[in-house]
Amino acid sequence: MSRPDTAPGTELARELAAALRGEVRFDPAERTVYSHDASNYRHLPLGVVKPADTEDVRTALALCRDHRVPVVARGAGTSIGGQAIGPGAVVLDFRRHLGAVLDLDPERRTARVQPGTVLDDLQRAARPYGLRFGPDPSTHSRCTLGGMIGNDSCGAHSVAWGRTADNVESLDLLLADGTELTVGGPLTPAERTALAARPGPEGRLHHRLQEFTDRNLAAIRRGLPALPRRVSGYPLDALLPERGHHLARALTGTEGTCALLLGATVRLVEEPRARALVLAGYPDETAAADAVPALLPLGPLTVEGMAADLIAALLAAGPRPPALDRLPEGACWLFLETGGATAAEALDAARRLADTVRRERTATAAVVTDPAEQRQLWAVREAGAGIVTRLPDGGEAWPGWEDSAVPPERLGDYLRELRALLRRHGLRGVPYGHFGEGCVHLRIDFPLTRPQGLPVFREFMEQAADLVVSHGGSLSGEHGDGQARGELLPRMYPPEVIGLFREFKHLWDPENLLNPGTAVDPRPLDADLRFGGRPVRELPLALPYERDDGSLAKAVRRCVGVGKCVDPTTGVMCPSYMATGEERHSTRGRARLLAEMLRGAGPLPGAGALPGTEAPPGTGALPGTGALPGAGAAITDGWRSAEVREALDLCLGCKGCASDCPVQVDMATYRSEFLYQHYRHRLRPAAHYAMGRLPLWLRGAALAPGLVNAIGRSPAAPLLKRLGGIDGRRALPVLAPETFTRWYRRRRAGRPAPAGARPVLLWPDTFSDHLQPEVLRAAVEVLEHLGFDVRLPAGPVCCGLTWYSTGQLPGARRVMRRSLAALAATGLPAGTPVVGMDPSCTATLREEVPRLLGAEGRPLAERTRTFAEFVDEYAPDTPLPQLPVDAVTQTHCHQHAVLGSAADRRIERRMGVENRVLDSGCCGLAGNFGFERGHYDISAAIAERVLLPEVRAAGPDTVVLADGFSCRTQIAQLADGRRALHLAELMLRALREQPDGPGPAPSDAPTP
Ligand SMILES: Cc1cc2nc3c(=O)[nH]c(=O)nc-3n(C[C@H](O)[C@H](O)[C@H](O)COP(=O)(O)OP(=O)(O)OC[C@H]3O[C@@H](n4cnc5c(N)ncnc54)[C@H](O)[C@@H]3O)c2cc1C
Ligand code: SF4
Ligand code: SF4
């Protein structure tokens, strides 16, 4: 476990560091990263503690109590109300080390978990027994049981399996004064008496709780309306005798304000063996809402509502998911899931529901039984939760009123009036939600970044609160109150109940140490907003941020803390988080650091737009912002920030976030900007000169490859690596004896293009040209076989990626311009397709070249194709050589993010290749990243997560496919010498193995 990194002078930090086994971090970077949850609020904590075990929690709490420093417990920080952050508090991160499923009893159907257990981990543990935890928030891949208990989370299946409160059996608690106790329920009168008779603080607490309950029975019965999703306020009704005096339930949903949770015993439910999905279409959302009460008696597992504007938002954010074709006609849909012991049983239930739906004249219904299709449709619904942070037209939408709930039979009326209220305020949003329980999610385009925005926000919130209460509803249906709704509780509850909340909290936490300012005596809803109604300072920028009106501040605001980037199990995003488990090495951690940098930036010496470019519209310091920068910020040195540099240092630039984050936070781009600005007119790290300009060095080295290779193997190699900023454990790449371009010219001289062959330009990327020419040679032979005249640019070309990714933006632009000139000089028609063999170069030509060169670069982007895309598009009917082999594919992260792989899959099918695509994400090398000193361990750890074990396990006859130079290099260096092939090489092999194929070519001499 790492040793503490504490700011000097912080006595508490020193004591914590001395006493704990877990991490203690009071530095600006860590405080910044933990200053947000998924809400509109920002609170800089005093520091962050990641307890290694329960003993650490006890010690940390005791020391904080001694110093009178508040404590905020935290799981994944996906709360939307601001209840997982606290000003000047010590944040206890339970997710980092306290995430074990301690015990699972299939007979009793219970599990004992630590508070930091991620829900999906519990589900994985329960699955072999046919069991699961019922509630399932959309954040299931990262949210913790502690956080779910803190918020009383629900999710889509609560119509069938209830809220978290309905599924807790007992909670192990640590109170602010150090008392530990386990609470549960239901309790018999005798059990209550026995508890109150216990010695010491525990007995005293039970005694007081019982006295509190008995004294207030009438007020609690009167003041807390019965409602399936009443999550706002404390659930004091669980204390009532008719509710079993259930203390665990009364504590569920108290948002870390009463006690710290050390462990929990939760109930599990039977997982239906089969499921079916009814998609019910309605002309509008009120029609859908009005239909719900008639459907509930049929026992669906879910009743989720989603309107056409959510689909529009989804389509605005990315390509159309094919699953959408299954939606029947309508403008609002209900997702009604059914379950059964067999597929027939689930289908029967689905048919019954569909028939009932169709009885309504304007409604349509479709039944989906295929599990894969059902998964895709649910993914659409879950993606919606993240996507609606942006409106279909790209406008920003914020939480606040994102979680109200009414009795289901009032939902139609409530939605109608809510829409009218939005219109009156000139606000927009996209409602969707758990219609079966009357819960509506709605992010609204509150003008929070404008000075006049705060009164609008407050007025709307107050009127919406009154509206929901007038329908017998709750301010929150599952997200909890936090700072967003705490202040509004008196609009929902009478003063006597508000008084009871205060008294209840005081019984548990008399010194108000735990999450103060939440639920009881809450902070105002329009205080501490992360934008605070202030125009955010803009800096002169080098890159255009075309999707964000030229604003980096707006670009980083995309991150609303959905937290998909801290799901460590799947996808490309975010490899550095997956390997380190550290928040600051996640996409959201980096986004928060950049946002803090922009918030705190003073005058920025040396900052500027790229020479020779206009500062993009909308940038430049805004008038009237002079006094704002730096106010209360943890990072105040702008582009010079060492904290931001450190956090970005482990960003691989893999672009995984640009495609996998629901709102496409594009950290690779922000990183290039930062590196450009940070090192402007300053000495850069050696690796930037060595590897950032590698194409130049390679061109020189190609004059004497044998000599260069010999030096690379000589005793001077370690020194060379050190000088070049290369990790000593990395083997230096070996230069080919003959570059591809020389081979091509030699070959071409003796072999003119066949008549009628269609010209295509092959992009001889620097790495393949010098280091793996066999890939480009294979492309030439295959493309010629398919009837093309393969031509090369008239001079050396380079996409400029190594300059771009190291923030050497002027250099990148020069290199790109030179390459455009070399393409133009071929004299080929302007539309001649360009085929790139390496996905990172190809993605650069598609995305970064137009980004840096504007209109000048767009034509190249438009005519650039990957090898597979080219064959798929330009030779769609040409028979391809057959090779019925098994293959596993490592998809390059840039291909995943920018180019897509649909064409590759079609080509493999046409060749008869039985392929399996690995869910391995980035290979960990990512261009120069894995070579740089200080990155080896993390690079290897990323590769070891999935890629290397899969490659090692692949049988000797299984082909390993990897179009990326980086991926092939990583495999060659770390997977025990296994060689991966480019698709073009596989196709060449297929060609050669054909009875009438060309056979081994002289050009195929192995490269040393
Ligand atoms: C995009 C998106 C979709 C969402 N979808 C849903 C949904 O479908 N359904 C739903 O119910 N919610 C949803 N949420 C809200 C949120 O994800 C859930 O409330 C989740 O359960 C919170 O878990 P967490 O681990 O992130 O908790 P955190 O946000 O870290 O903490 C939640 C609360 O619990 C307290 N807490 C955490 N650990 C402890 C502990 N050990 N001791 C005492 N208190 C503790 C915290 O102080 C805080 O008050 C969504 C959020 C987002 C951003
Ligand atoms: S970077 Fe994207 S996925 Fe990660 S928290 Fe922010 S919005 Fe969510
Ligand atoms: S570019 Fe890759 S490593 Fe960097 S933040 Fe995005 S997903 Fe993470």
Side-chain angles (χ1 to χ4, degrees), residues 212 234 236 257-258 490 495-510 512 518-522:
F212 168 83
Y234 288 162
L236 298 185
T257 58
C258 293
E496 61 176 340
V497 171
I498 298 293
L500 293 186
F501 291 163
R502 188 172 292 116
E503 200 181 333
F504 185 72
K505 151 100 178 165
H506 190 80
L507 288 173
W508 296 93
D509 177 25
N512 200 18
T518 300
V520 166
D521 301 326

Side-chain angles (χ1 to χ4, degrees), residues 572-576 587 590 650-657 667-668:
V572 177
M573 171 178 68
C574 168
S576 48
T587 313
R590 293 177 178 121
L650 290 193
C651 169
L652 291 90
C654 70
K655 292 178 186 268
C657 43
M667 196 51 65

Side-chain angles (χ1 to χ4, degrees), residues 73 75-79 83 138-139 144 147-148 151 153-154 255 261 478:
T78 63
S79 285
Q83 61 268 46
S138 328
T139 45
T144 62
M148 292 179 71
N151 287 347
S153 302
C154 302
E255 302 181 3
L261 184 71
E478 61 180 11

Side-chain angles (χ1 to χ4, degrees), residues 558-565 573 587-588 591-592 661-663 665:
R558 281 178 175 271
C559 175
V560 287
V562 171
K564 202 174 163 212
C565 53
M573 171 178 68
T587 313
R588 76 176 177 184
R592 281 157 190 180
C661 161
V663 281
V665 170

